[in-house]
């Protein structure tokens, strides 16, 4: 027994010695790292004091510290930043659906401000700003080298005031100036309408009103059509939608899915991930769906498109989306400010990361650039038909109802042709719905 106790004690002592031998270098390394951090913080304090006392002009201590904090955050990625009390309040107002400005979502690329998308019905949209445009100057002052927040602040101003931004656009040989009048931006999150037998739900942003707007707009169009059986399907138009609230992207996806994963997030630690699943219920009652995306579709838009695509609930049409697949957590700070910090990445139900890759459409359809009308096109004579020939026979075999039906069909065809001129991608989506509806319920298979 004594030998057994001694052996156990010896084992414990041996384990203690082994643990000490391993822990010793680890503790020393951690202490060295902490010392290095404290040295760097002391360096920051030295530089701060030197600026306060030695800079050529008086400096505002609060602004200097906020700039240092923002610099630390923006060095991480384009979406992490410090929000002053004013910026945090403005962000809360924006997610509620109303704010002041030009109406553009921007990011930063190689030092320049890049337009993610103009928002529907805003001054920027009316001025012809396009997704992918680069803003190189504001009122003649270059934005190169500024933080994204500083560049955005330059574009803010009183409602009704004029701003001139300099644009560099692919396909244009020279930069050009665009004059925009600032306005209060009131966003209608979802606009609904019917095109032929298709219901078009144009989602412009994901704010607190998005799902209620979508649900009400869908019901209105279905009621006007006389019931869900009278529509070919749904077009979810997410083009130039810069994203917004994650919870709204989840409920919009869930609105058209009966089951399965919608999206998941993964952070740095294994336990930081979250997953959201759909609950039973489909607003479209199984009707075909086409999702429209382009390079201005980002973040929450990509979550919806990816979820419906992976579950084969929708056909995604258009061009590759923006590729913002990171999650930002807004952390309130003392003094009513906030920190926007990237904490995770989004993944679609199949496990695809959206980050930097975006959502690839099932069918790539480019949107042709609008062509200016030429005098030659306007002067072209109308094509002659049999009815124009002198002495041609009348068609007296049709009833008035049949003639009315032919004229109605012709009007629909002409409207469809005009839609192809105005919005080729949307017209393409509606043609897909017509084909799927003609094939019947087996055309779309939900897994």
């Amino acid at each position: 027994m004594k030998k057994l106790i001694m052996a156990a004690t010896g084992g414990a002592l041996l384990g203690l010695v082994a643990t000490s031998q391993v822990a010793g270098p680890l503790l020393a390394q951690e202490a060295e790292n902490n010392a290095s951090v404290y040295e760097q913080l002391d360096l920051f304090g030295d530089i701060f004091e030197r600026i306060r006392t030695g800079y050529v002009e008086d400096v505002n201590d609060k602004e200097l510290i906020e700039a240092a904090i923002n610099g630390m955050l923006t060095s991480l990625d384009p979406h992490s930043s410090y929000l002053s009390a004013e910026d945090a309040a403005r962000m809360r107002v924006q997610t509620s659906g109303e704010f002041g400005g030009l109406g553009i979502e921007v990011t930063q690329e190689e030092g320049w401000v890049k337009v993610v998308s103009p928002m529907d019905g805003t001054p920027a949209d009316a001025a012809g700003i396009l997704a992918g445009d680069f803003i190189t100057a504001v009122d003649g002052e270059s934005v190169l080298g500024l933080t994204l927040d500083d560049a955005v602040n330059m574009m803010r101003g009183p409602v009704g005031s004029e701003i001139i931004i300099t644009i560099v656009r692919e396909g244009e040989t020279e930069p050009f100036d665009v004059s925009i009048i600032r306005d209060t931006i009131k966003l209608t999150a979802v606009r609904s309408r019917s095109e032929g037998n298709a219901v078009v739900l144009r989602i412009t942003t994901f704010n607190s009103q998005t799902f209620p707007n979508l649900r009400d707009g869908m019901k209105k169009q279905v009621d006007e059509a006389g019931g869900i059986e009278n529509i070919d399907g749904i077009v979810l138009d997410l083009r130039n939608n810069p994203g917004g609230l994650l919870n709204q992207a989840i409920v919009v996806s869930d609105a058209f899915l009966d089951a399965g994963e919608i999206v998941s997030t993964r952070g740095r630690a294994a336990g930081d991930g979250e997953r959201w699943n759909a609950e039973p219920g489909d607003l479209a009652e199984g009707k075909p769906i086409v999702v429209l995306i382009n390079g201005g579709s980002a973040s929450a838009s990509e979550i919806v498109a990816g979820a419906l695509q992976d579950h084969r609930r929708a056909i995604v049409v258009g061009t590759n989306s923006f590729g913002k697949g990171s999650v930002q957590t807004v952390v309130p700070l003392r003094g009513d400010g906030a920190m926007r910090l990237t904490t995770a990445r989004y993944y679609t139900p199949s496990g695809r990361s959206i980050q930097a890759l975006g959502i690839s459409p099932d069918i790539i359809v480019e949107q042709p650039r609008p062509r200016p009308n030429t005098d030659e096109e306007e002067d072209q004579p109308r094509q002659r038909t049999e009815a124009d020939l002198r002495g041609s026979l009348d068609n007296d075999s049709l009833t008035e109802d049949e003639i009315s039906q032919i004229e109605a069909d012709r009007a629909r065809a002409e409207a469809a042709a005009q839609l192809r001129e105005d919005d080729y991608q949307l017209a393409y989506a509606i043609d897909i719905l017509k084909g799927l509806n003609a094939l019947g319920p087996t055309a779309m298979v939900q897994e």
Side-chain angles (χ1 to χ4, degrees):
M1 176 66 72
K2 288 182 179 179
K3 290 183 180 179
L4 181 61
I5 294 172
M6 290 179 65
T9 305
L13 289 172
L14 182 62
L16 180 61
V17 171
T19 302
S20 299
Q21 288 175 341
V22 173
L26 291 176
L27 292 172
Q29 183 179 359
E30 184 178 351
E32 183 180 343
N33 289 339
N34 288 338
S36 176
V37 170
Y38 292 136
E39 287 176 4
Q40 293 296 315
L41 289 174
D42 287 341
L43 175 62
F44 172 79
D46 292 342
I47 293 173
F48 177 70
E49 285 300 323
R50 185 57 186 264
I51 292 172
R52 291 181 69 197
T53 59
Y55 187 64
V56 66
E57 296 177 355
D58 287 338
V59 294
N60 183 302
D61 292 351
K62 180 175 180 290
E63 291 179 357
L64 200 60
I65 292 172
E66 287 183 351
I69 295 170
N70 193 51
M72 179 168 56
L73 287 163
T74 55
S75 70
L76 301 173
D77 67 87
H79 306 293
S80 296
S81 64
Y82 171 75
L83 300 172
S84 65
E86 295 79 10
D87 290 337
R90 191 178 294 113
M91 183 196 68
R92 287 190 289 270
V93 171
Q94 181 170 341
T95 55
S96 70
E98 180 176 328
F99 59 97
L102 304 180
I104 49 175
E105 176 78 9
V106 294
T107 186
Q108 201 161 35
E109 188 172 299
E110 298 180 359
W112 298 108
V113 176
K114 183 178 182 180
V115 176
V116 174
S117 66
M119 301 172 185
D120 282 1
T122 62
D125 183 35
I129 303 300
L130 301 178
D133 284 350
F134 284 91
I135 299 173
T136 60
V138 175
D139 289 330
E141 186 176 345
S142 174
V143 299
L144 183 63
L146 297 180
T147 67
L148 185 60
D149 284 342
D150 287 341
V152 169
N153 284 333
M154 288 177 65
M155 288 185 273
R156 292 180 179 140
V159 171
S161 61
E162 182 186 26
I163 179 175
I164 296 176
I165 58 176
T166 303
I167 297 293
V168 171
R169 178 176 295 167
E170 184 180 357
E172 299 287 342
T173 56
E174 296 289 337
F176 57 92
D177 291 339
V178 178
S179 172
I180 305 177
I181 304 299
R182 296 180 178 97
D183 198 0
T184 299
I185 309 302
K186 295 182 179 180
L187 292 179
T188 302
V190 182
R191 294 186 176 92
S192 64
R193 72 180 196 274
S194 292
E195 289 285 350
N197 294 330
V199 172
V200 180
L201 299 172
R202 168 80 179 119
I203 305 177
T204 60
T205 188
F206 286 89
N207 62 28
S208 59
Q209 300 302 311
T210 299
F211 177 69
N213 285 176
L214 179 137
R215 179 193 57 213
D216 296 344
M218 175 81 179
K219 183 179 185 305
K220 178 175 180 289
Q221 297 304 320
V222 169
D223 288 347
E224 290 180 357
I228 194 76
E229 65 278 2
N230 295 325
I231 68 170
D232 290 338
I234 314 296
V235 176
L236 280 184
D237 189 352
L238 300 176
R239 292 173 298 175
N240 293 331
N241 182 323
L245 300 177
L246 170 62
N247 68 332
Q248 290 294 305
I250 291 169
V251 294
V252 167
S253 302
D254 193 2
F256 302 105
L257 292 172
D258 275 322
E261 181 182 314
I262 294 172
V263 66
S264 63
T265 62
R266 302 176 203 169
R268 183 167 67 180
D272 290 343
E274 290 189 77
R275 188 184 309 273
W276 290 267
N277 295 315
E279 297 180 356
D282 178 1
L283 277 183
E285 298 183 24
K287 285 287 184 177
I289 300 173
V290 174
V291 175
L292 282 175
I293 61 171
N294 64 5
S297 306
S299 192
S301 300
E302 295 171 292
I303 290 172
V304 174
L308 298 182
Q309 184 183 53
D310 280 2
H311 285 287
R312 298 187 181 182
R313 181 63 186 93
I315 297 173
V316 179
V317 172
T319 56
N320 210 63
S321 64
F322 184 75
K324 181 187 177 297
S326 58
V327 184
Q328 281 68 50
T329 301
V330 178
V331 183
L333 302 174
R334 66 184 69 179
D336 294 328
M339 172 176 64
R340 186 167 49 204
L341 183 67
T342 299
T343 54
R345 287 183 169 87
Y346 293 121
Y347 292 82
T348 70
S350 65
R352 293 181 294 162
S353 172
I354 299 168
Q355 180 60 28
L357 296 175
I359 299 296
S360 298
D362 298 306
I363 304 174
I364 296 176
V365 179
E366 298 280 352
Q367 182 82 308
R369 298 268 181 182
R371 295 181 308 166
N373 289 329
T374 63
D375 293 338
E376 292 181 2
E377 290 175 344
E378 293 175 354
D379 294 340
Q380 285 184 351
R382 182 178 67 86
Q383 184 176 355
R384 289 169 62 83
T385 67
E386 170 72 14
D388 296 318
L389 299 178
R390 184 182 300 168
S392 63
L393 297 175
D394 293 331
N395 190 331
D396 55 5
S397 62
L398 300 175
T399 66
E400 290 186 3
D401 289 342
E402 288 172 332
I403 292 173
S404 297
Q405 183 62 48
I406 289 172
E407 290 175 347
D409 291 342
R410 183 175 296 164
R412 279 194 292 270
E414 289 174 352
Q418 184 60 49
L419 182 61
R420 287 187 183 87
E421 289 291 326
D422 297 338
D423 191 339
Y424 182 75
Q425 289 174 323
L426 178 58
Y428 197 104
I430 291 170
D431 284 344
I432 291 174
L433 289 180
K434 289 178 183 175
L436 292 174
N437 192 65
L439 290 174
T442 58
M444 294 287 290
V445 178
Q446 184 173 346
E447 293 182 345

